[in-house]
Amino acid sequence: MLFVFAVIVAALVLFATEALPVDVTAIGVMVSLMLAEPVTMLAADVGLLAEPVYVLHQAGDGVSPLDRGLSGFASTATITVLAMFILSDGVQRTGIVQILGAKIASLTGDSETKQLSATVGLVAPISGFINNTAAVAILLPMVTDIAHKGKLSPSKLLLPLSYASMFGGMLTLIGTSTNILASQLSAELIGRPFSMFEFTQLGIIVTIVGTIYLLTVGRYLVPSRIAAKEDLTEEFEMGEYLTEVVVREDSPLIGQTVEEALRVSEFDVDIVQLVREKRTFLEPFGQKAIRAGDVFAVRTGRDTLVDLLDVEGLDVIPEVEVDDAELETADERTNLVEVVVAPGSALIGETLVSTNFRQRYDATVLALRHGQELYRQRMDHVTLRIGDTLLVQATPESIERLNRNNDFIVAQEVQRPDFRRSKIPVAVGIVAAVVGVAALTPIHIVISALGGALAMVLTRCLRPQELYDAVQWDVIFLLAGVIPLGIALQETGGADLLAELFVMGAGSVLTAGGGLAVVLGLMYLVTALLTNIISNNASVVLMIPVAIETAQQLNANAFAFVLAVTFAASTAFMTPVGYQTNLLVYGPGGYRFTDYLRVGAPLQAVFAVVTTLGIAYFWGLAPA
């Protein structure tokens, strides 16, 4: 038990600090648990320990710790989530969500109430049937454009977008990966999985309550961090970092290619665009030889610029303000966009240098918003994470390629000619069939979901080579890695001990006249606080065994306690790291960490009350 608790503490620290990606931490947990028995058996053989440490099985029960350690990869929850990613991507590639969004956006005008209502009213029901992280990623550009067209700060809509996707995900079993994992754990521990619409009635209630909160109290608490229709160069405070310079006749750069000049330069500088003989060139221009009279728009700090002018033979062009209009003279279409690092992106954990960003994507990064930090120089070695926002200068063709790349979300509407609109009825029909079969027949959701994923390929809604891009592999490895932790917590008696401690704490509540509903509310709050610090899936794995043991010790309905943990783990409003959707809007909304606490804490408190009362009413607290 002590060994398992040590692993849990280490995992919580790594999850909270993000010192390692969460999926890497999860695999580390799995490996640690599997190593415990063979390593301690060797130690016992040489007399260092009295007996081996068993964490994944009881001695002599005939079950291999290897099988239990790897059970996360064979878990129905893991496979179901994988299939649901494929189903979501199949629907996404038809463009139906964008079409719905465009129709609703046309009705919002410049009314903040209409824009907010449209945002919440669109994302919540969609999140019940496709992965809610995917729903936010799809709608983020549309919502940003709605805000700018209606002269409203995008910050006023993006946080509600994230929150609404979370409580919308509680409408069905397949709304979030957390629901699916909780269903499997409930089936294994108390023999009662969730049906497709097990908690839809409560999901509808919390969605209505959450919507009312966002349209009233939340509307005034959400800050306007980014001004409406603000010039992107102003938004990223680029005024002091963008300058136009001309190459003098005596410059040592003459004859070198742009790529060579950048490679050998000792200065922190990027060449954004080249103007030669009234023609403007954007990336890729690395192979162009530098000539006298060439005009470059460069990104660099003022101090660096002074040294650069002396050494490289350049002159500043006075009285030229480099802004959006100046940077977009190369083409009538957009050259300057915000790009968000998407969940599952290959850039996560990398830097602009290690990914060779400029050459790989034919694009120049002018600034980087990393949480609350805004980098306009010395950003090449900043480690990238989900939700980081890049200010990118590129040709329209390069921007279109970025838009098609699953590693990025371009935070404004870009024409996508590759949508398979003719497949809309097919893709929607497949998802409806998956839901119907799982809800109305004895066929398990994992079989229904895998069948739907196969149908997406057979009907050409998805191409075979697109299957692997559709899956967020970090989530899959996270699930596979943390599931054995729940097994170890059960097998070693850790869940019993934590439940006893919780019951001791809850005893004073019961003694003071508080009922089981108050204890259930405390279980919700503990899970919610944990989820706001670590991964939602990890908190479910840790808390469901404890919740079940607590219910059994109090002679209460264990299923009700499982539902409280599930709802709390799927609605992490108080920190940007509590849920992937919160991270997705962190950069584009320009939020501060405290914004989530200010807006999310009251909503979390309201949900604690509503969810607890709803569970007590619909499922009861007495033993089933």
Side-chain angles (χ1 to χ4, degrees):
M1 191 190 301
L2 289 174
F3 177 81
V4 172
F5 283 152
V7 171
I8 289 173
V9 169
L12 292 180
V13 170
L14 290 173
F15 281 136
T17 60
E18 296 185 350
L20 293 172
V22 291
D23 50 332
V24 175
T25 297
I27 296 301
V29 167
M30 180 184 72
V31 171
S32 299
L33 295 174
M34 289 193 293
L35 282 175
E37 183 174 336
V39 170
T40 55
M41 285 181 69
L42 291 173
D45 288 342
V46 298
L48 296 177
L49 288 176
E51 61 181 22
V53 174
Y54 300 100
V55 296
L56 288 175
H57 78 307
Q58 297 298 321
D61 72 354
V63 180
S64 164
L66 184 64
D67 290 339
R68 284 190 172 166
L70 296 173
S71 61
F73 285 104
S75 160
T76 56
T78 305
I79 304 302
T80 303
V81 171
L82 185 148
M84 293 310 303
F85 280 134
I86 295 171
L87 288 170
S88 294
D89 198 56
V91 173
Q92 178 182 343
R93 289 180 185 273
T94 66
I96 184 173
V97 178
Q98 285 84 347
I99 293 171
L100 289 173
K103 290 186 181 298
I104 292 175
S106 66
L107 304 175
T108 59
D110 58 0
S111 166
E112 180 179 348
T113 301
K114 288 182 179 179
Q115 292 175 34
L116 191 54
S117 300
T119 298
V120 175
L122 180 62
V123 75
I126 287 175
S127 296
F129 296 94
I130 70 171
N131 178 269
N132 54 359
T133 304
V136 170
I138 295 168
L139 293 174
L140 190 152
M142 181 210 78
V143 170
T144 301
D145 276 5
I146 286 178
H148 283 310
K149 289 175 182 176
K151 298 180 180 179
L152 180 70
S153 167
S155 311
K156 300 291 286 185
L157 299 182
L158 291 177
L159 198 57
L161 174 71
S162 174
Y163 287 174
S165 77
M166 278 189 264
F167 52 68
M170 298 310 298
L171 292 171
T172 70
L173 169 64
I174 62 174
T176 75
S177 61
T178 310
N179 295 349
I180 296 169
L181 177 57
S183 177
Q184 177 185 314
L185 293 172
S186 181
E188 291 175 353
L189 298 177
I190 60 174
R192 184 173 177 183
F194 302 158
S195 66
M196 179 61 68
F197 301 107
E198 181 77 57
F199 39 73
T200 299
Q201 67 270 49
L202 182 55
I204 291 172
I205 291 172
V206 298
T207 298
I208 292 172
V209 170
T211 300
I212 292 172
Y213 173 87
L214 292 175
L215 290 173
T216 54
V217 178
R219 175 175 177 175
Y220 298 101
L221 293 178
V222 176
S224 299
R225 295 294 181 201
I226 294 176
K229 273 193 171 300
E230 188 167 26
D231 186 299
L232 282 174
T233 54
E234 290 181 16
E235 178 186 323
F236 283 82
E237 301 173 18
M238 295 298 298
E240 295 184 3
Y241 296 89
L242 289 174
T243 311
E244 281 199 349
V245 296
V246 61
V247 179
R248 297 201 306 259
E249 295 283 350
D250 61 347
S251 172
L253 297 176
I254 294 173
Q256 296 183 35
T257 65
V258 173
E259 185 177 336
E260 289 171 344
L262 288 173
R263 187 171 59 247
V264 302
S265 175
E266 60 186 272
F267 302 106
D268 176 32
V269 61
D270 268 321
I271 296 178
V272 178
Q273 69 182 23
L274 161 65
V275 180
R276 176 181 292 169
E277 297 174 355
K278 298 185 179 180
R279 291 186 61 192
T280 302
F281 300 92
L282 302 179
E283 285 283 4
F285 50 60
Q287 297 307 311
K288 291 188 177 297
I290 298 174
R291 303 177 187 172
D294 281 349
V295 175
F296 292 111
V298 297
R299 178 211 56 82
T300 191
R302 289 298 183 194
D303 294 339
T304 303
L305 179 63
V306 173
D307 296 331
L308 181 70
L309 296 176
D310 291 339
V311 174
E312 304 293 5
L314 304 172
D315 286 329
V316 172
I317 300 179
E319 300 178 2
V320 173
E321 182 181 353
V322 183
D323 55 13
D324 284 21
E326 180 70 17
L327 292 176
E328 295 189 351
T329 56
D331 198 286
E332 293 181 357
R333 293 173 290 168
T334 299
N335 300 132
L336 199 64
V337 292
E338 287 180 278
V339 174
V340 183
V341 178
S345 171
L347 276 72
I348 296 172
E350 300 287 343
T351 67
L352 296 177
V353 170
S354 67
T355 57
N356 201 20
F357 189 95
R358 185 183 188 112
Q359 286 72 33
R360 179 183 293 185
Y361 302 108
D362 290 334
T364 303
V365 177
L366 303 182
L368 163 63
R369 187 183 288 120
H370 181 79
Q372 295 173 246
E373 298 294 326
L374 183 57
Y375 295 88
R376 287 144 305 193
Q377 57 183 345
R378 292 184 292 277
M379 59 191 163
D380 287 347
H381 298 283
V382 175
T383 301
L384 300 173
R385 66 184 183 188
I386 297 172
D388 280 354
T389 306
L390 312 176
L391 178 61
V392 171
Q393 160 82 343
T395 63
E397 291 72 26
S398 292
I399 291 171
E400 288 172 10
R401 286 195 296 273
L402 289 171
N403 193 43
R404 290 193 296 269
N405 192 320
N406 289 337
D407 288 339
F408 307 102
I409 302 164
V410 176
Q412 65 185 72
E413 293 282 16
V414 177
Q415 184 63 35
R416 285 287 300 269
D418 57 339
F419 283 138
R420 297 158 195 165
R421 300 194 176 192
S422 63
K423 298 292 184 181
I424 288 177
V426 179
V428 172
I430 290 171
V431 173
V434 168
V435 172
V437 167
L440 303 174
T441 74
I443 296 174
H444 194 281
I445 178 64
V446 69
I447 302 172
S448 175
L450 283 173
L454 179 61
M456 284 289 184
V457 178
L458 294 178
T459 58
R460 305 296 291 175
C461 293
L462 274 177
R463 300 188 179 98
Q465 64 270 25
E466 294 170 341
L467 283 175
Y468 301 98
D469 290 335
V471 178
Q472 289 181 25
W473 292 104
D474 56 335
V475 175
I476 299 303
F477 280 94
L478 171 64
L479 289 171
V482 297
I483 284 173
L485 188 57
I487 296 173
L489 200 61
Q490 283 286 109
E491 293 291 345
T492 60
D496 293 343
L497 177 60
L498 292 175
E500 289 174 9
L501 294 173
F502 186 85
V503 170
M504 287 174 59
S508 58
V509 174
L510 295 172
T511 303
L516 286 174
V518 178
V519 178
L520 185 71
L522 289 174
M523 181 62 70
Y524 177 99
L525 289 173
V526 169
T527 305
L529 291 173
L530 185 64
T531 304
N532 276 284
I533 299 171
I534 68 170
S535 158
N536 51 331
N537 289 317
S539 66
V540 158
V541 167
L542 291 175
M543 292 303 297
I544 281 184
V546 175
I548 291 171
E549 292 293 338
T550 299
Q552 291 172 348
Q553 291 184 30
L554 293 173
N555 194 31
N557 181 1
F559 189 69
F561 277 71
V562 168
L563 287 174
V565 170
T566 304
F567 270 76
S570 295
T571 50
F573 302 125
M574 295 190 293
T575 68
V577 298
Y579 210 89
Q580 277 193 337
T581 58
N582 284 349
L583 275 176
L584 268 180
V585 301
Y586 195 19
Y591 298 115
R592 298 173 184 168
F593 194 97
T594 52
D595 293 336
Y596 289 83
L597 191 62
R598 181 175 64 182
V599 184
L603 181 58
Q604 200 90 67
V606 169
F607 269 37
V609 174
V610 172
T611 302
T612 301
L613 294 178
I615 291 172
Y617 177 79
F618 289 118
W619 289 276
L621 299 182

